[in-house]
């Protein structure tokens, strides 16, 4: 049995869980999420806790057991607290602006870059160099943040680009400094 899968998922009082066959629906103050479990897993709701069990003890069942426990835990946390990702834009003249469900970015290219934000993700730009993404879906918010970062990833010489908040970029020495020994 998976060690992670064995752990119970605590369900907060303001979160409602509905289990029908293989479909697990979770509803909270932030929204609603659902996921279908594979045939190899069973789920039970007892005393404000969710228990996931696997049918057999094969390697595939162990991996699915831990994976789906983590995915359902992410759904419970998402609908009760929500997820936030922050990205910093670093560079002279680099700026971002939210326009509805579109992120308009000036990143030193010859043209502005417009990035569409999918449904389920809320976008804020409190400063011209800060992007704040909020969502109840951890997978979706991570994918959107990754896609935004890939437009202009931080480069190691000057550190310009889009990086996750708190991310450390190890800077390299340029060729002028390398020859001056």
């Amino acid at each position: 049995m998976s060690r992670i899968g064995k752990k119970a998922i605590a369900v907060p009082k303001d979160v409602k869980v509905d289990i029908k066959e293989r479909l697990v629906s979770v509803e909270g103050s932030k929204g609603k999420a659902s996921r279908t479990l594979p045939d190899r897993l069973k789920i039970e709701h007892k005393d404000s806790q969710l228990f996931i069990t696997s049918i057999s003890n094969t390697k595939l069942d162990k991996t699915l057991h831990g994976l789906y426990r983590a995915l359902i835990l992410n759904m419970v946390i998402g609908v009760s607290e929500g997820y936030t990702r922050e990205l910093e834009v670093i560079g002279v003249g680099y700026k971002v602006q939210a326009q509805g469900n579109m992120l308009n970015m000036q990143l030193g290219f010859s043209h502005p870059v417009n990035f569409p934000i999918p449904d389920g993700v809320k976008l804020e730009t409190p400063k011209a160099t800060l992007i704040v993404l909020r969502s109840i879906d951890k997978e979706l918010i991570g994918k959107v943040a990754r896609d935004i970062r890939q437009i202009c990833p931080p480069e190691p010489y000057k550190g310009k680009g889009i990086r996750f908040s708190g991310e450390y970029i190890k800077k390299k020495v340029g060729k002028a400094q390398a020859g001056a020994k």
Side-chain angles (χ1 to χ4, degrees):
M1 217 184 230
S2 168
R3 284 186 281 167
I4 293 175
K6 282 191 236 179
K7 294 180 183 177
I9 300 172
V11 179
K13 292 181 181 178
D14 62 334
V15 175
K16 292 182 359 185
V17 177
D18 186 31
I19 301 168
K20 291 182 183 171
E21 300 273 328
R22 301 265 171 240
L23 183 69
V24 180
S25 299
V26 182
E27 187 173 354
S29 59
K30 301 276 184 184
K32 187 176 182 179
S34 62
R35 183 170 297 274
T36 304
L37 289 177
D39 297 338
R40 305 169 91 79
L41 299 176
K42 292 181 183 176
I43 188 164
E44 295 179 42
H45 188 210
K46 292 181 188 174
D47 303 329
S48 72
Q49 288 187 332
L50 291 173
F51 296 96
I52 300 174
T53 55
S54 63
I55 293 173
S56 67
N57 206 13
T58 64
K59 185 171 177 125
L60 176 64
D61 288 347
K62 288 180 186 179
T63 57
L64 288 177
H65 192 194
L67 170 71
Y68 276 89
R69 187 240 178 231
L71 291 175
I72 292 173
L73 176 65
N74 289 342
M75 287 180 4
V76 170
I77 292 171
V79 297
S80 61
E81 300 170 18
Y83 290 101
T84 303
R85 282 310 290 250
E86 292 183 358
L87 295 121
E88 299 170 343
V89 180
I90 297 173
V92 177
Y94 287 18
K95 59 183 178 177
V96 294
Q97 182 180 14
Q99 296 175 337
N101 65 343
M102 190 73 73
L103 178 63
N104 184 358
M105 299 179 277
Q106 303 284 335
L107 299 172
F109 300 131
S110 63
H111 58 284
V113 178
N114 292 319
F115 185 84
I117 302 297
D119 294 337
V121 178
K122 293 177 185 152
L123 170 70
E124 298 172 17
T125 52
K127 295 192 293 186
T129 60
L130 184 65
I131 303 167
V132 180
L133 302 169
R134 299 183 196 283
S135 178
I136 62 169
D137 190 352
K138 189 174 183 178
E139 291 176 70
L140 180 62
I141 196 171
K143 181 186 178 305
V144 171
R146 181 203 66 205
D147 291 344
I148 291 172
R149 184 181 183 276
Q150 283 181 343
I151 293 171
C152 186
E155 53 97 11
Y157 295 102
K158 293 182 183 177
K160 300 189 318 184
I162 301 173
R163 65 176 77 173
F164 296 117
S165 185
E167 180 183 7
Y168 175 74
I169 303 298
K170 187 174 180 181
K171 291 193 176 182
K172 293 182 178 179
V173 178
K175 63 182 179 182
Q177 295 296 323
K181 286 188 177 181

